Protein backbone atom coordinates (compact mmCIF):
# COMPACT_ATOMS: atom_id res chain seq x y z
CA UNK A 1 0.00 0.00 0.00
CA UNK A 2 1.11 3.56 -0.72
CA UNK A 3 1.97 5.42 2.45
CA UNK A 4 1.27 9.13 2.77
CA UNK A 5 3.33 11.06 5.31
CA UNK A 6 1.95 14.43 6.34
CA UNK A 7 3.94 17.11 8.08
CA UNK A 8 3.65 18.68 10.48
CA UNK A 9 1.17 16.61 12.50
CA UNK A 10 0.03 19.82 14.17
CA UNK A 11 0.72 23.51 14.02
CA UNK A 12 -0.28 26.69 15.81
CA UNK A 13 -0.94 29.77 13.71
CA UNK A 14 -2.64 33.13 13.90
CA UNK A 15 -5.40 34.59 11.79
CA UNK A 16 -3.83 36.03 8.67
CA UNK A 17 -0.83 33.68 8.66
CA UNK A 18 0.26 31.73 5.61
CA UNK A 19 0.14 28.00 6.37
CA UNK A 20 1.75 25.18 4.42
CA UNK A 21 1.14 21.47 4.93
CA UNK A 22 3.23 18.83 3.20
CA UNK A 23 2.27 15.33 2.05
CA UNK A 24 4.81 12.83 0.76
CA UNK A 25 3.86 9.58 -0.97
CA UNK A 26 5.97 6.43 -0.65
CA UNK A 27 5.80 6.00 -4.43
CA UNK A 28 4.72 8.11 -7.36
CA UNK A 29 0.99 8.80 -7.65
CA UNK A 30 1.01 11.26 -10.54
CA UNK A 31 -1.54 13.94 -9.56
CA UNK A 32 -4.07 11.57 -7.98
CA UNK A 33 -4.15 13.40 -4.66
CA UNK A 34 -6.91 15.14 -2.76
CA UNK A 35 -6.96 17.36 0.33
CA UNK A 36 -9.78 17.33 2.87
CA UNK A 37 -10.72 19.55 5.78
CA UNK A 38 -12.42 18.00 8.80
CA UNK A 39 -13.93 19.79 11.77
CA UNK A 40 -14.81 17.97 15.02
CA UNK A 41 -17.90 15.79 14.69
CA UNK A 42 -18.23 16.50 10.99
CA UNK A 43 -17.54 14.60 7.79
CA UNK A 44 -14.45 15.44 5.75
CA UNK A 45 -14.92 18.12 3.13
CA UNK A 46 -13.12 18.01 -0.23
CA UNK A 47 -10.94 21.09 -0.78
CA UNK A 48 -8.52 20.15 -3.56
CA UNK A 49 -8.55 17.31 -6.10
CA UNK A 50 -6.06 16.24 -8.75
CA UNK A 51 -3.37 17.82 -6.53
CA UNK A 52 -4.12 21.40 -7.53
CA UNK A 53 -7.76 21.80 -8.63
CA UNK A 54 -9.97 23.80 -6.28
CA UNK A 55 -13.32 22.21 -5.49
CA UNK A 56 -16.31 24.41 -6.30
CA UNK A 57 -17.26 26.72 -3.44
CA UNK A 58 -13.91 26.43 -1.66
CA UNK A 59 -12.28 29.83 -0.97
CA UNK A 60 -9.39 30.78 -3.22
CA UNK A 61 -7.05 31.17 -0.22
CA UNK A 62 -6.71 27.37 -0.42
CA UNK A 63 -4.32 26.02 -3.04
CA UNK A 64 -2.56 22.76 -3.77
CA UNK A 65 0.57 21.89 -5.68
CA UNK A 66 2.85 19.01 -6.50
CA UNK A 67 2.94 15.79 -8.46
CA UNK A 68 4.65 12.43 -8.22
CA UNK A 69 5.57 12.03 -4.56
CA UNK A 70 5.60 15.52 -3.03
CA UNK A 71 2.53 17.66 -2.49
CA UNK A 72 1.61 20.80 -0.61
CA UNK A 73 -1.56 22.42 0.67
CA UNK A 74 -1.29 26.16 1.27
CA UNK A 75 -3.70 28.48 3.04
CA UNK A 76 -2.61 31.96 2.00
CA UNK A 77 -4.26 33.87 4.83
CA UNK A 78 -5.67 31.78 7.67
CA UNK A 79 -9.23 32.61 8.69
CA UNK A 80 -11.02 31.68 11.95
CA UNK A 81 -13.14 29.06 10.16
CA UNK A 82 -9.98 27.31 8.86
CA UNK A 83 -9.00 25.89 12.23
CA UNK A 84 -9.51 22.18 11.61
CA UNK A 85 -7.67 18.98 10.73
CA UNK A 86 -6.46 18.51 7.17
CA UNK A 87 -5.86 15.17 5.41
CA UNK A 88 -4.24 14.28 2.12
CA UNK A 89 -5.48 11.17 0.30
CA UNK A 90 -4.25 9.30 -2.76
CA UNK A 91 -6.59 7.73 -5.27
CA UNK A 92 -3.99 6.39 -7.70
CA UNK A 93 -4.03 2.82 -6.36
CA UNK A 94 -6.11 0.58 -4.14
CA UNK A 95 -6.10 0.45 -1.22
CA UNK A 96 -6.80 4.16 -1.05
CA UNK A 97 -4.77 5.72 1.71
CA UNK A 98 -4.87 8.88 3.80
CA UNK A 99 -2.15 10.88 5.44
CA UNK A 100 -2.12 10.97 9.23
CA UNK A 101 -3.62 14.45 9.38
CA UNK A 102 -2.46 17.93 10.34
CA UNK A 103 -4.31 19.73 13.11
CA UNK A 104 -4.28 23.49 12.66
CA UNK A 105 -4.80 25.24 15.98
CA UNK A 106 -5.12 28.84 17.08
CA UNK A 107 -1.94 30.45 18.41
CA UNK B 1 -29.64 18.63 -3.01
CA UNK B 2 -26.92 16.01 -3.32
CA UNK B 3 -26.97 13.96 -0.15
CA UNK B 4 -25.73 10.74 1.41
CA UNK B 5 -27.29 9.54 4.66
CA UNK B 6 -25.84 6.60 6.59
CA UNK B 7 -27.76 4.47 9.06
CA UNK B 8 -27.50 1.15 10.87
CA UNK B 9 -24.76 1.87 13.37
CA UNK B 10 -24.97 0.85 17.00
CA UNK B 11 -23.39 -1.13 19.80
CA UNK B 12 -22.62 -4.78 19.08
CA UNK B 13 -20.65 -7.51 20.80
CA UNK B 14 -17.43 -8.88 19.30
CA UNK B 15 -18.11 -11.63 16.79
CA UNK B 16 -21.57 -10.36 15.91
CA UNK B 17 -22.81 -8.76 12.69
CA UNK B 18 -24.16 -5.40 11.61
CA UNK B 19 -25.35 -3.98 8.29
CA UNK B 20 -24.81 -0.34 7.45
CA UNK B 21 -26.87 1.47 4.84
CA UNK B 22 -26.25 4.64 2.87
CA UNK B 23 -29.16 6.36 1.13
CA UNK B 24 -28.26 8.53 -1.84
CA UNK B 25 -30.34 11.38 -3.24
CA UNK B 26 -30.00 14.37 -5.54
CA UNK B 27 -27.79 12.70 -8.14
CA UNK B 28 -27.77 9.73 -10.52
CA UNK B 29 -26.56 7.11 -8.08
CA UNK B 30 -26.10 4.40 -10.71
CA UNK B 31 -23.34 6.39 -12.43
CA UNK B 32 -21.14 6.81 -9.36
CA UNK B 33 -18.80 4.45 -7.58
CA UNK B 34 -19.09 4.39 -3.81
CA UNK B 35 -16.69 4.02 -0.91
CA UNK B 36 -16.88 3.28 2.79
CA UNK B 37 -14.33 5.13 4.94
CA UNK B 38 -14.05 4.84 8.71
CA UNK B 39 -12.57 6.84 11.55
CA UNK B 40 -11.83 5.33 14.94
CA UNK B 41 -12.40 7.66 17.91
CA UNK B 42 -9.68 10.30 18.01
CA UNK B 43 -7.89 8.78 15.02
CA UNK B 44 -7.42 9.50 11.33
CA UNK B 45 -9.35 8.40 8.29
CA UNK B 46 -9.10 4.84 6.98
CA UNK B 47 -10.49 3.66 3.67
CA UNK B 48 -12.50 0.42 3.98
CA UNK B 49 -14.04 -0.62 0.67
CA UNK B 50 -15.13 0.48 -2.79
CA UNK B 51 -17.74 -0.72 -5.26
CA UNK B 52 -17.90 0.20 -8.93
CA UNK B 53 -20.93 2.13 -10.22
CA UNK B 54 -22.46 -1.08 -11.60
CA UNK B 55 -21.29 -3.37 -8.80
CA UNK B 56 -18.91 -5.20 -11.11
CA UNK B 57 -15.79 -4.65 -9.00
CA UNK B 58 -15.16 -4.44 -5.28
CA UNK B 59 -12.00 -3.88 -3.29
CA UNK B 60 -11.36 -4.02 0.45
CA UNK B 61 -8.68 -3.09 2.90
CA UNK B 62 -6.87 -6.24 4.06
CA UNK B 63 -8.12 -6.01 7.66
CA UNK B 64 -11.77 -6.51 6.61
CA UNK B 65 -11.38 -8.98 3.73
CA UNK B 66 -13.53 -12.03 4.29
CA UNK B 67 -15.53 -10.28 7.02
CA UNK B 68 -17.09 -7.23 5.33
CA UNK B 69 -19.09 -7.15 2.09
CA UNK B 70 -19.93 -4.00 0.16
CA UNK B 71 -22.99 -4.04 -2.07
CA UNK B 72 -25.44 -1.69 -3.73
CA UNK B 73 -28.98 -1.59 -5.09
CA UNK B 74 -29.12 0.96 -7.88
CA UNK B 75 -32.90 0.60 -8.15
CA UNK B 76 -33.21 1.88 -4.59
CA UNK B 77 -30.25 4.31 -4.59
CA UNK B 78 -28.77 2.40 -1.69
CA UNK B 79 -25.27 1.34 -0.64
CA UNK B 80 -24.62 -1.29 2.01
CA UNK B 81 -21.81 -2.62 4.16
CA UNK B 82 -22.41 -6.02 5.70
CA UNK B 83 -20.01 -6.42 8.62
CA UNK B 84 -19.56 -9.90 10.09
CA UNK B 85 -17.25 -11.23 12.80
CA UNK B 86 -16.88 -7.75 14.19
CA UNK B 87 -13.82 -6.92 16.28
CA UNK B 88 -13.18 -4.26 18.90
CA UNK B 89 -10.82 -2.57 16.43
CA UNK B 90 -13.72 -2.07 13.98
CA UNK B 91 -15.13 0.55 16.35
CA UNK B 92 -15.39 3.76 14.33
CA UNK B 93 -17.59 6.27 12.60
CA UNK B 94 -18.34 4.85 9.16
CA UNK B 95 -18.81 7.26 6.26
CA UNK B 96 -20.04 6.55 2.77
CA UNK B 97 -18.67 8.72 -0.02
CA UNK B 98 -19.15 8.88 -3.77
CA UNK B 99 -16.70 9.20 -6.63
CA UNK B 100 -16.98 9.53 -10.36
CA UNK B 101 -14.75 7.70 -12.79
CA UNK B 102 -14.52 8.31 -16.51
CA UNK B 103 -14.29 10.95 -19.18
CA UNK B 104 -17.64 12.54 -18.42
CA UNK B 105 -16.73 13.35 -14.82
CA UNK B 106 -16.02 16.91 -13.74
CA UNK B 107 -14.12 15.48 -10.77
CA UNK B 108 -12.52 12.16 -11.66
CA UNK B 109 -11.66 9.79 -8.83
CA UNK B 110 -11.80 12.03 -5.77
CA UNK B 111 -14.35 11.46 -3.01
CA UNK B 112 -16.41 14.59 -3.48
CA UNK B 113 -19.56 14.00 -1.41
CA UNK B 114 -19.63 12.35 2.03
CA UNK B 115 -22.41 11.35 4.37
CA UNK B 116 -22.55 12.49 7.98
CA UNK B 117 -21.39 9.11 9.29
CA UNK B 118 -22.82 6.40 11.54
CA UNK B 119 -21.10 5.18 14.70
CA UNK B 120 -20.30 1.51 15.19
CA UNK B 121 -19.16 0.41 18.64
CA UNK B 122 -17.91 -3.14 19.12
CA UNK B 123 -17.72 -3.94 22.80
CA UNK B 124 -18.54 -6.73 25.21
Amino acid sequence: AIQLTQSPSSLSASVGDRVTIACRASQGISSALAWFQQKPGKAPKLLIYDASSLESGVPSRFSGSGSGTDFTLTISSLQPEDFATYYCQQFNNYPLTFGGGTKVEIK
Amino acid sequence: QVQLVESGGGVVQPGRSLRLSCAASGFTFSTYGMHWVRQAPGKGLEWVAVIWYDGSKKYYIDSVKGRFTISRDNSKNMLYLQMNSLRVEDTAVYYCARYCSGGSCSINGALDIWGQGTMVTVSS
Side-chain angles (χ1 to χ4, degrees):
Chain A
I2 296 172
Q3 295 181 17
L4 296 179
T5 303
Q6 268 184 254
S7 60
S9 56
S10 66
L11 64 91
S12 295
S14 301
V15 172
D17 283 353
R18 181 181 182 88
V19 169
T20 299
I21 299 170
C23 178
R24 173 165 287 179
S26 60
Q27 64 189 73
I29 57 171
S30 185
S31 296
L33 188 103
W35 289 96
F36 296 91
Q37 177 193 67
Q38 188 179 33
K39 296 182 178 179
K42 299 294 187 181
K45 174 188 174 184
L46 178 65
L47 300 175
I48 301 286
Y49 61 96
D50 293 346
S52 60
S53 296
L54 192 68
E55 166 68 317
S56 177
V58 174
S60 59
R61 63 181 178 273
F62 291 92
S63 64
S65 64
S67 68
T69 60
D70 291 294
F71 303 87
T72 301
L73 173 70
T74 300
I75 309 172
S76 59
S77 178
L78 199 65
Q79 297 302 299
E81 60 268 31
D82 301 337
F83 292 95
T85 300
Y86 294 85
Y87 295 93
C88 57
Q89 180 247 325
Q90 66 82 19
F91 50 95
N92 191 65
N93 291 103
Y94 288 107
L96 302 189
T97 48
F98 291 86
T102 297
K103 187 173 184 179
V104 177
E105 298 176 304
I106 301 172
K107 181 182 277 185
Chain B
Q1 74 279 26
V2 176
Q3 196 172 11
L4 296 170
V5 179
E6 302 93 337
S7 61
V11 180
V12 63
Q13 293 179 325
R16 304 298 291 264
S17 298
L18 207 59
R19 187 176 87 153
L20 305 183
S21 299
C22 170
S25 60
F27 64 100
T28 307
F29 180 69
S30 61
T31 65
Y32 282 82
M34 296 295 297
H35 296 275
W36 286 101
V37 176
R38 67 185 179 184
Q39 187 169 36
K43 302 297 184 181
L45 299 166
E46 180 179 53
W47 174 80
V48 174
V50 63
I51 186 167
W52 256 229
Y53 69 98
D54 58 358
S56 61
K57 289 187 180 181
K58 305 172 186 180
Y59 294 104
Y60 302 89
I61 194 171
D62 282 350
S63 59
V64 309
K65 282 180 184 175
R67 300 189 300 122
F68 289 12
T69 301
I70 189 171
S71 63
R72 65 190 297 157
D73 185 338
N74 285 346
S75 69
K76 296 181 179 178
N77 292 344
M78 294 292 296
L79 172 73
Y80 304 102
L81 185 68
Q82 178 66 44
M83 304 186 295
N84 298 332
S85 303
L86 280 161
R87 304 169 180 170
V88 171
E89 55 265 34
D90 295 319
T91 295
V93 174
Y94 284 73
Y95 297 99
C96 61
R98 76 171 194 182
Y99 77 99
C100 187
S101 180
S104 63
C105 302
S106 56
I107 299 177
N108 199 336
L111 284 65
D112 65 340
I113 299 293
W114 296 58
Q116 85 290 349
T118 188
M119 182 71 205
V120 172
T121 302
V122 184
S123 173
S124 55

